[in-house]
Amino acid sequence: MQSKIKYYPYPILNNSNQYYTSSFKTELEYKMDGYDLIIIIKTLLNDSCLNSLLATRKVAVIHHIECPQTCFRRAFTTFKKDENICLEDKEINGTITVNSFIIANENLENYTNPNFSADYKDMSFNLEKGSVIAIGNSYLS
């Protein structure tokens, strides 16, 4: 799945300038376990507010993995920063894409973040469960 540019009515943590010093990205490693592929995902989240929300499970990290050759598509939800995902050999063949997001795991009333840029400073937003809060980097391998 290729992420497309989408506009949101609230600030999103990604490579735009809607947050000052915060960042969200993932690093991947791959290992074989027999014929199965283990994807080792390390989430790097530099934002104290979102880290607190993750620790209390108010937000979740979603890793969306897709293999176009086999029509495999699955979203893995976690509350941990490090995750190992095992894909069976029958599920994948060739190229896979991994996209990571942070989403609201429950309705968040008056969500605000001290790292919002000046455009959003002192603003708060009501986010529904499932709302995208951060978009990480994409991997194609």
Side-chain angles (χ1 to χ4, degrees):
M1 173 182 86
Q2 295 296 325
S3 295
K4 295 185 172 125
I5 294 175
K6 187 174 178 181
Y7 297 101
Y8 295 88
Y10 53 88
I12 296 290
L13 174 57
N14 61 4
N15 58 3
S16 68
N17 59 356
Q18 296 176 350
Y19 282 70
Y20 276 128
T21 59
S22 301
S23 63
F24 168 60
K25 67 179 187 173
T26 54
E27 293 178 349
L28 302 183
E29 288 182 45
Y30 302 97
K31 276 195 322 190
M32 294 302 295
D33 181 19
Y35 291 107
D36 298 339
L37 177 67
I38 307 291
I39 304 173
I40 303 162
I41 304 175
K42 182 175 183 173
T43 298
L44 306 171
L45 177 58
N46 178 22
D47 184 278
S48 59
C49 181
L50 288 176
N51 276 316
S52 295
L53 292 172
L54 184 61
T56 58
R57 295 181 169 236
K58 293 182 179 185
V59 301
V61 179
I62 303 290
H63 302 293
H64 181 271
I65 301 175
E66 184 175 308
C67 178
Q69 289 86 352
T70 63
C71 298
F72 172 82
R73 180 182 298 169
R74 191 176 307 155
F76 297 87
T77 303
T78 185
F79 301 98
K80 301 184 294 185
K81 290 195 175 179
D82 296 328
E83 190 69 40
N84 293 348
I85 297 172
C86 179
L87 302 178
E88 295 179 20
D89 66 333
K90 65 183 177 184
E91 295 176 313
I92 57 171
N93 182 24
T95 304
I96 62 169
T97 59
V98 180
N99 294 289
S100 298
F101 307 90
I102 295 177
I103 63 153
N105 195 44
E106 60 185 52
N107 291 340
L108 298 176
E109 301 293 324
N110 300 313
Y111 170 71
T112 189
N113 192 306
N115 286 317
F116 281 167
S117 69
D119 292 340
Y120 301 101
K121 187 173 174 71
D122 300 324
M123 294 179 74
S124 65
F125 301 89
N126 294 326
L127 304 180
E128 294 179 358
K129 181 177 181 176
S131 296
V132 174
I133 297 172
I135 300 172
N137 46 327
S138 296
Y139 284 93
L140 178 66
S141 54

